[in-house]
Amino acid sequence: MNQEQLVAELKNIVGLKEVIHKPDDLIAYECDGFTIVRARPRAVVFPNNTDHVAAVVKLLHNNRIPFIPRGAGTGLSGGATPINGEVLISLVKMNRLLSVDFKNRTAVVEPGHVNLKLTNAIAHEGYYYAPDPSSGMSCTIGGNVGENAGGPHCLKYGVTSNHVLGVEMVLPDGEIVTLGGTVPDMPGYDVTGLIVGSEGTMGIVTKIFVRILKKPQGVKTIVALYDSVDDASQTVSAIIAEGIIPGALEMMDRVAIEGVEAGNYPVGYPKDLAAVLIIELDGLTVGMEAMAEQIVDICTQFHVREVRVAQTDQERTLWWANRKTAFGAMGRISPDYMVQDGVIPRSRLPEVLQRISDISVESGLRIANVFHAGDGNLHPLILFNAANPGETELAVRVGSEVLQVCADVGGSITGEHGVGIEKQRDMIKIFTPEEIAAQVEVMRVFNPHNLCNPDKLFPKPSRCVEVKRAAHTH
């Protein structure tokens, strides 16, 4: 099928205005938040419902044209980058909140529904949706499902997979299936759990059944300022060791503080600080005051310079706005930056941060650390200038070295951003070839022709061998 025929067929399915195909119009879809690799899609199509998605997928499947589901494009690992000239299936117009069942604490949304809008829509009844990525104002719940996204409050409440009860999905051949539902703990294999975090390699989610939670009775937010990263790290471990599980426990180091203070929501942190902790308690109000005092005492044991509890909602909101806009704020202190995403055992935090600091010194690239300290999910932001020859490649190598450190201490190469194309080669840091091959076999069950988001997630040599075998056997 040539390009002209393809565009005509796509327009017949979704409508004349719902297909983009002119080269200049496609530039905005060359990448997601991982901007180092760019490639132009063959076309972008905007379905309005599940039947549209199924018809588009059948057309592409029958003509062996690869395709990629895409949400808001806020992904950070290149999962939506069309490296093979794929057709992008944008789900931003499938953005409705379909139903809410407060009695059973569930909601049903379309994949293009923006994360924060769900909480805003149910807040009047005292409910909220727990997964809260920092990009919550713009990222979609469908994209969150693809990447198994987390956020600051996932320390206590878990990541996206803990809040998805089921999905409606279009398989790579166009068949529509429903996995799970609004009732938890369905019998049989947890196929829904398999889909969440599969990075769009097994099908296109068109409807999501999620849990919603009752808003906590009380909230207390504490900020602690340190002259030593090690003291801040020790505080994190000590809080958890005391049996306290805060709703959130976030950390920023000196470079990150410099960035956020240059951003749109400066708090006024002293310029010579080494680290900041944001600790948020939520739950029943009974006992919360005493727990806050206990945390303040722990901070004091580890030489905190200053610790204070938010006195107003306005103060708390500013602290969080400062933290949640940290990634974007790095643009104020560096022409370019790359967001990394690794996980480590919490008890290894001081050691790992020191090794990241050593990598920064050795490479000559500044690294800002802003992360979910409570669950060991690191986000080193590698600052570089793409205009300097070789510096982009150096930043990529530094990112891989940081992930090696995470793997060395028993951690993982991603906590919530996915693998995409960014970390394919890093998969061998934590999986053997046999383990990767086994995962490819599972993918093949859903996506035997490698048409749905091809050549993502798994290292290419292994992937190529497996896909060739799949093509031969079908």
Side-chain angles (χ1 to χ4, degrees):
M1 176 177 280
N2 63 36
Q3 180 73 358
E4 188 176 337
Q5 291 170 325
L6 172 64
V7 170
E9 291 287 344
L10 291 173
K11 287 182 176 178
N12 282 338
I13 296 170
V14 297
L16 297 177
K17 296 182 179 179
E18 308 297 354
V19 179
I20 291 175
H21 60 91
K22 295 179 180 177
D24 289 349
D25 294 336
L26 298 173
I27 292 175
Y29 296 90
E30 288 183 333
C31 65
D32 55 18
F34 178 68
T35 59
I36 290 176
V37 177
R38 298 168 185 259
R40 206 164 292 185
R42 186 165 175 177
V44 183
V45 58
F46 297 88
N48 282 290
N49 55 56
T50 301
D51 289 339
H52 278 173
V53 175
V56 168
V57 169
K58 281 180 181 175
L59 171 69
L60 299 174
H61 173 267
N62 291 341
N63 289 279
R64 295 295 187 264
I65 298 172
F67 51 91
I68 301 175
R70 177 183 162 112
T74 57
L76 291 164
S77 58
T81 303
I83 54 178
N84 298 305
E86 294 91 340
V87 171
L88 287 183
I89 300 176
S90 173
L91 300 161
V92 294
K93 294 192 175 182
M94 294 177 63
N95 57 10
R96 287 160 288 212
L97 170 57
L98 298 174
S99 64
V100 181
D101 182 346
F102 289 113
K103 287 184 177 178
N104 290 300
R105 300 190 177 189
T106 60
V108 185
V109 299
E110 291 184 322
H113 195 71
V114 170
N115 177 292
L116 187 59
K117 284 189 174 181
L118 177 54
T119 288
N120 291 341
I122 59 180
H124 66 286
E125 293 285 347
Y127 287 84
Y128 75 110
Y129 178 61
D132 61 338
S134 294
S135 58
M137 289 186 289
S138 54
C139 67
T140 63
I141 294 179
N144 296 165
V145 170
E147 305 299 328
N148 195 16
H153 289 85
C154 292
L155 165 63
K156 184 173 181 179
Y157 297 100
V159 293
T160 298
S161 60
N162 300 111
H163 299 271
V164 174
L165 294 165
V167 297
E168 176 189 82
M169 187 171 83
V170 174
L171 296 174
D173 64 356
E175 181 184 356
I176 301 170
V177 298
T178 299
L179 308 171
T182 55
V183 179
D185 303 324
M186 299 284 277
Y189 294 121
D190 180 14
V191 184
T192 303
L194 181 63
I195 297 304
V196 179
S198 63
E199 305 191 24
T201 62
M202 294 184 176
I204 301 178
V205 169
T206 50
K207 197 179 292 182
I208 306 157
F209 309 92
V210 299
R211 300 177 196 270
I212 57 176
L213 302 180
K214 194 74 175 174
K215 290 179 70 174
Q217 191 179 51
V219 174
K220 275 197 179 296
T221 308
I222 300 163
V223 67
L225 316 183
Y226 289 86
D227 296 315
S228 157
V229 168
D230 189 64
D231 282 336
S233 302
Q234 298 289 356
T235 301
V236 171
S237 294
I239 290 171
I240 303 296
E242 283 296 315
I244 302 171
I245 305 297
L249 209 175
E250 301 286 294
M251 183 167 163
M252 296 187 287
D253 72 0
R254 188 190 301 275
V255 181
I257 295 166
E258 178 186 340
V260 295
E261 286 301 290
N264 293 330
Y265 300 97
V267 169
Y269 293 131
K271 291 184 177 179
D272 61 340
L273 276 185
V276 168
L277 290 182
I278 299 176
I279 310 152
E280 183 156 283
L281 298 170
D282 62 7
L284 298 174
T285 54
V286 175
M288 185 170 288
E289 188 70 38
M291 195 176 294
E293 291 175 2
Q294 189 179 359
I295 287 176
V296 169
D297 184 54
I298 293 171
C299 294
T300 304
Q301 293 173 32
F302 290 95
H303 316 109
V304 69
R305 181 197 294 190
E306 181 182 350
V307 57
R308 59 180 188 264
V309 181
Q311 298 302 305
T312 64
D313 283 344
Q314 187 177 20
E315 189 175 25
R316 172 178 176 266
T317 300
L318 175 61
W319 292 352
W320 275 116
N322 176 278
R323 160 62 187 90
K324 287 207 167 191
T325 56
F327 289 7
M330 293 306 130
R332 297 293 186 96
I333 63 172
S334 176
D336 301 283
Y337 64 93
M338 188 174 79
V339 182
Q340 265 302 354
D341 169 43
V343 182
I344 61 168
R346 198 170 35 235
S347 60
R348 306 294 291 271
L349 197 53
E351 171 193 349
V352 169
L353 291 179
Q354 181 57 55
R355 290 178 66 180
I356 292 174
S357 176
D358 294 342
I359 291 172
S360 173
V361 172
E362 291 165 6
S363 66
L365 297 183
R366 302 175 80 195
I367 300 178
N369 289 291
V370 47
F371 55 100
H372 313 310
D375 49 12
N377 186 189
L378 306 181
H379 292 314
L381 307 173
I382 301 158
L383 312 186
F384 66 101
N385 186 348
N388 294 335
E391 204 157 294
T392 300
E393 293 77 8
L394 176 60
V396 171
R397 286 201 301 275
V398 165
S400 187
E401 289 177 21
V402 168
L403 294 180
Q404 185 63 60
V405 173
C406 295
D408 289 345
V409 298
S412 169
I413 62 167
T414 179
E416 55 178 342
H417 294 176
V419 175
I421 54 177
E422 179 196 13
K423 302 174 191 166
Q424 284 175 300
R425 284 176 292 183
D426 296 307
M427 288 282 274
I428 61 175
K429 291 179 168 59
I430 57 172
F431 294 116
T432 66
E434 291 77 17
E435 290 168 338
I436 291 173
Q439 293 179 72
V440 172
E441 291 287 335
V442 174
M443 181 276 293
R444 285 178 49 198
V445 172
F446 294 83
N447 186 16
H449 301 292
N450 192 30
L451 292 173
C452 192
N453 207 3
D455 300 330
K456 302 285 171 59
L457 187 57
F458 303 110
K460 284 186 177 178
S462 169
R463 180 68 174 272
C464 290
V465 169
E466 296 301 322
V467 170
K468 284 178 182 176
R469 192 197 311 169
H472 179 73
T473 55
H474 286 78

